[in-house]
Structure formats: C-alpha cells, structure tokens
Amino acid sequence: MSYSITAPDVWEPSFEGDPDSMLSPDQCVVKGQHFFIKGLIEIPVIGGQDVFSWGVWVSLSRDDFARALEVRNAEHRDAEKPYFGWLSTELALYSEGTTNLKTNAHTRPVGKRPLIELEPTDHPLAVEQRTGITRDRVREIAMAVLHPA
C-alpha cells in the first residue's frame, strides 16, 4: 500500500563525496543550494479505511528547511504552518509529469513523515489525492512498480 523513492530527482551518486551535499532517509541537500524533505502523498482507497501512499521528495526554501530541522524532534511540531514546496519526484506511472507540482508539506507528530498535499489541480495525481483510488488502481500501481515494462 506504499512505495517510496530513495532520493529526489536531482540527486546524483557523485554528490556523495561533496561536503555541501547529503542524503539521509528524511532530508537531502544538494551543493548547499537545494533543500529537500521526504514526505507522504496519501491517497484514500475507496470503499474502506486503507490509505495508499507515495514516499516522495519535496524541495523547500532554505528557511523552511532550516525550520523543519529545528522542530524535527519538537513535541508539538504538528502545529507548524505548512511549508510550500515543489514535488521533486517523477512518478512515471502518470501520463503527465509529476516533478515540480506545487505542494504544501504538513508536519505531523514526531515519528510520522510530513503529509504532502498537492495543489488541487486537474493533474491525475492531485485528482487521486482528492477523490481516492480503487483497489484495482492499487493493483495497477503495484504491477507497474514491481514489474516495469
């Protein structure tokens, strides 16, 4: 019911030795100029309580990234205002590109990844987040991810 991307689209293995770049399971910095956090696009599954999720990367401003790190372990961090960002993960299952969709990253209690809310557009991923998907769509995604053409 969930699939996760290891790094933002712009990450390259050559950045691993760069002192101004880092990649962890939750944050990424590229060349000291581009800042990313990992969060979840959650999509309700129609007809039940299940939620399908994509683990994706979102770029943040330097200030919002610093703030996200500052409150990372704060008890009431879920009271933070959402951080605006750009989706930095290409999900090839969608006919329209997903990189650079507008997002809001909502911080949640410690131990939970941020909730990534897409701008409510007519992009298929944004529509799915708003309206939900069927179990057949979940199976279709699983087949595409686990057995790419």
Side-chain angles (χ1 to χ4, degrees), residues 4-146:
S4 188
I5 310 304
T6 306
D9 289 346
V10 299
W11 180 260
E12 296 177 14
S14 64
F15 295 151
E16 289 179 21
D18 182 340
D20 293 325
S21 299
M22 62 80 71
L23 175 64
S24 78
D26 301 307
Q27 298 101 22
C28 180
V29 177
V30 174
K31 301 283 187 182
Q33 297 176 24
H34 305 283
F35 307 91
F36 306 89
I37 61 168
K38 192 168 191 178
L40 298 174
I41 296 175
E42 294 183 345
I43 302 172
V45 178
I46 298 167
Q49 299 290 325
D50 292 330
V51 173
F52 176 85
S53 63
W54 287 111
V56 298
W57 293 86
V58 173
S59 68
L60 299 181
S61 69
R62 179 186 302 267
D63 289 345
D64 282 349
F65 182 78
R67 178 66 183 162
L69 289 180
E70 181 181 323
V71 300
R72 182 174 173 194
N73 295 312
E75 189 173 318
H76 299 290
R77 72 182 195 169
D78 52 322
E80 284 286 298
K81 68 170 183 60
Y83 306 122
F84 173 79
W86 299 95
L87 188 59
S88 300
T89 300
E90 187 60 42
L91 299 172
L93 274 70
Y94 295 91
S95 57
E96 298 177 37
T98 57
T99 299
N100 290 327
L101 291 175
K102 292 180 182 179
T103 68
N104 278 303
H106 297 266
T107 306
R108 299 195 281 189
V110 173
K112 291 191 80 176
R113 289 196 188 279
L115 173 66
I116 306 303
E117 174 191 20
L118 296 169
E119 177 184 40
T121 65
D122 61 355
H123 188 283
L125 179 58
V127 171
E128 286 183 346
Q129 187 177 42
R130 285 193 314 275
T131 63
I133 58 177
T134 64
R135 290 209 172 276
D136 286 343
R137 175 66 173 144
V138 173
R139 282 189 280 281
E140 178 184 315
I141 292 169
M143 290 300 294
V145 170
L146 298 174

